Amino acid sequence: RQAAFLRSSLKNFRAQLGKAKKGMTNATVLVSNSYAQWKIDALLWMQEQYKSNGNSFAPTFMKELKTWTTSNVTDKKLIKFTMQFVSFMKKEVEDVGAMAMDVNLPFDQKSILVGSEQSIKSQLNVEGIKILLLDSEDGDNGAPDRIKEQVVPGKPYLWMH
């Protein structure tokens, strides 16, 4: 699972590097060990539904999700995000299994990336790279909120600036 994490991270980093504007030479990888609380609530609800239906989702799962969000999520905008997130995570569960709903990863993402720093730098062809764990003493190096919101456990983000 750790090797798959590193492979998919590198693939995503290359795609994010391709979208960076010319002249951006500073590379920072942002890592997060935790989801936003509303995502944690949604994942825990998904786990309940999955287990209660014999380790699969009921055919009425999306209908039940709508009922659950209207009674548990107060912000209308957040209802939409929750529906999208759960729909995406449901597909992830179908692809990789129940571990996709894990609230915490069973390995240290930052240490894997730090251990592979030379390889990451050479594959991305950047001189230096910072690897920061959000919500820790590492700070965020001034990363914009729109970028920090994209960082979730298992999906680090390459921020070129």
Side-chain angles (χ1 to χ4, degrees), residues 47-158:
Q47 290 171 5
E48 268 176 43
Q49 299 303 307
Y50 190 78
K51 287 178 184 150
S52 69
N53 197 50
N55 289 341
S56 67
F57 292 113
T60 57
F61 176 75
M62 292 310 279
K63 191 176 181 181
E64 292 166 16
L65 170 64
K66 194 169 176 77
T67 307
W68 180 80
T69 53
T70 51
S71 61
N72 290 288
V73 183
T74 51
D75 184 358
K76 286 215 184 289
K77 213 176 208 180
L78 209 51
I79 289 174
K80 179 184 170 195
F81 291 147
T82 303
M83 300 285 279
Q84 290 172 339
F85 175 71
V86 170
S87 180
F88 172 77
M89 293 308 290
K90 182 177 182 269
K91 289 182 185 86
E92 287 280 299
V93 171
E94 290 164 0
D95 291 345
V96 298
M99 69 181 171
M101 294 180 288
D102 288 351
V103 176
N104 296 308
L105 292 179
F107 55 87
D108 183 349
Q109 305 167 88
K110 183 180 176 185
S111 66
I112 290 171
L113 294 170
V114 168
S116 306
E117 192 172 335
Q118 289 302 326
S119 172
I120 294 169
K121 283 197 295 193
S122 67
Q123 286 200 32
L124 299 178
N125 197 20
V126 293
E127 286 182 30
I129 195 164
K130 284 184 187 172
I131 299 169
L132 303 177
L133 179 62
L134 296 176
D135 304 324
S136 76
E137 65 279 353
D138 289 356
D140 61 17
N141 203 32
D145 286 344
R146 64 179 174 76
I147 288 179
K148 291 189 289 191
E149 287 166 5
Q150 296 182 47
V151 183
V152 295
K155 303 234 186 314
Y157 191 92
L158 177 71

Side-chain angles (χ1 to χ4, degrees), residues 6-67:
L6 188 58
R7 266 194 316 274
S8 71
S9 295
L10 276 168
K11 182 181 175 192
N12 291 336
F13 294 163
R14 283 191 289 271
Q16 290 159 353
L17 184 66
K19 293 177 185 173
K21 293 182 179 125
K22 297 224 183 294
M24 292 186 169
T25 55
N26 297 321
T28 304
V29 173
L30 302 171
V31 181
S32 178
N33 283 335
S34 61
Y35 285 103
Q37 188 57 50
W38 66 270
K39 288 183 178 181
I40 293 172
D41 295 342
L43 287 168
L44 293 174
W45 178 80
M46 285 179 74
Q47 290 171 5
E48 268 176 43
Q49 299 303 307
Y50 190 78
K51 287 178 184 150
S52 69
N53 197 50
N55 289 341
S56 67
F57 292 113
T60 57
F61 176 75
M62 292 310 279
K63 191 176 181 181
E64 292 166 16
L65 170 64
K66 194 169 176 77
T67 307

